Amino acid sequence: MKCSVYIATSVDGFIAKPDGDINWLHTAGNLEADMGTEDMGFNALMSSVDCMVMGRKTMQIISDMNLTPEQWFYGDMPIFVLSNTLHKAPDNLKEKVEMYSGDINDLVTLLSEKGYKHAYIDGGTTIQSFINLQLINEITITRIPVLLGEGIPLFGKTLKAIKLEKAAANAYVNDFVQVKYSVNYE
């Protein structure tokens, strides 16, 4: 099964402020820029994946948004939420996500056996776990033009050095810069 990451960070590598706040994502960059129909590759990613795995904290952030059905980003995509402490989804997501606690390799095997071929992996701790299990195939990072100074980093300690290759970069009129890499664990 192919596993892809698509995530935004501050230029100094943080996915959230120390308290988990991500509101800076909506206030940084050139807010006057006309992006037209540009979605920075999100729709292409969503059309290529057939399931999603996210962490509990990411699920909570999405739950707190209280999205209407029209605002829901993920359509009917099956979403699996990793948590060893929470066994029930928030009421506003209980029809949209399935909770999973257990071994990540077992989950990937289960998803493959169910016929899923490409998973979107989201959430800092979840991404880190998948990287350390050598399960991530590609990473797309959108750098948001802000320096937070401190916060929750995208990457923590890896079990070994990991090569990122075949870089493709795009700069957007809103001053965001996106780089996509293939991951080589050898």
Side-chain angles (χ1 to χ4, degrees):
M1 167 179 272
K2 180 178 178 180
C3 295
S4 298
V5 170
Y6 180 98
I7 196 162
T9 71
S10 61
V11 171
D12 49 354
F14 299 109
I15 58 173
K17 290 184 176 181
D19 64 359
D21 176 52
I22 61 166
N23 287 327
W24 54 273
L25 287 168
H26 309 291
T27 59
N30 179 355
L31 302 176
E32 309 284 317
D34 180 5
M35 295 294 288
T37 59
E38 180 59 61
D39 71 346
M40 296 182 281
F42 186 72
N43 286 330
L45 171 79
M46 294 306 289
S47 66
S48 74
V49 298
D50 53 10
C51 66
M52 182 172 187
V53 178
M54 71 173 61
R56 177 189 53 79
K57 292 177 188 172
T58 302
M59 177 194 67
Q60 191 59 56
I61 289 169
I62 293 169
S63 174
D64 290 347
M65 291 179 184
N66 281 317
L67 300 171
T68 65
E70 298 78 30
Q71 294 170 314
W72 184 248
F73 330 114
Y74 307 114
D76 295 330
M77 181 182 309
I79 300 173
F80 302 88
V81 177
L82 302 179
S83 179
N84 290 320
T85 57
L86 187 65
H87 302 290
K88 205 170 102 174
D91 286 343
N92 64 339
L93 296 182
K94 66 183 175 187
E95 302 297 321
K96 298 185 182 302
V97 303
E98 182 178 327
M99 303 302 293
Y100 178 86
S101 63
D103 184 80
I104 291 172
N105 281 311
D106 290 345
L107 174 62
V108 171
T109 299
L110 176 70
L111 294 176
S112 291
E113 288 171 353
K114 288 184 172 189
Y116 296 112
K117 299 194 179 333
H118 188 184
Y120 170 16
I121 311 303
D122 199 11
T125 302
T126 301
I127 292 167
Q128 191 67 45
S129 296
F130 271 71
I131 286 173
N132 280 324
L133 291 170
Q134 299 185 13
L135 296 170
I136 298 295
N137 303 97
E138 64 184 20
I139 298 174
T140 302
I141 302 170
T142 304
R143 299 281 183 190
I144 309 301
V146 63
L147 297 170
L148 295 179
E150 64 178 342
I152 300 168
L154 171 56
F155 299 111
K157 183 178 179 181
T158 57
L159 301 177
K160 66 176 193 168
I162 298 166
K163 267 179 82 172
L164 303 178
E165 50 193 27
K166 300 179 185 169
N170 288 308
Y172 297 97
V173 296
N174 61 352
D175 297 328
F176 291 17
V177 175
Q178 185 179 80
V179 182
K180 182 176 182 177
Y181 300 99
S182 291
V183 182
N184 181 345
Y185 295 101
E186 297 187 16

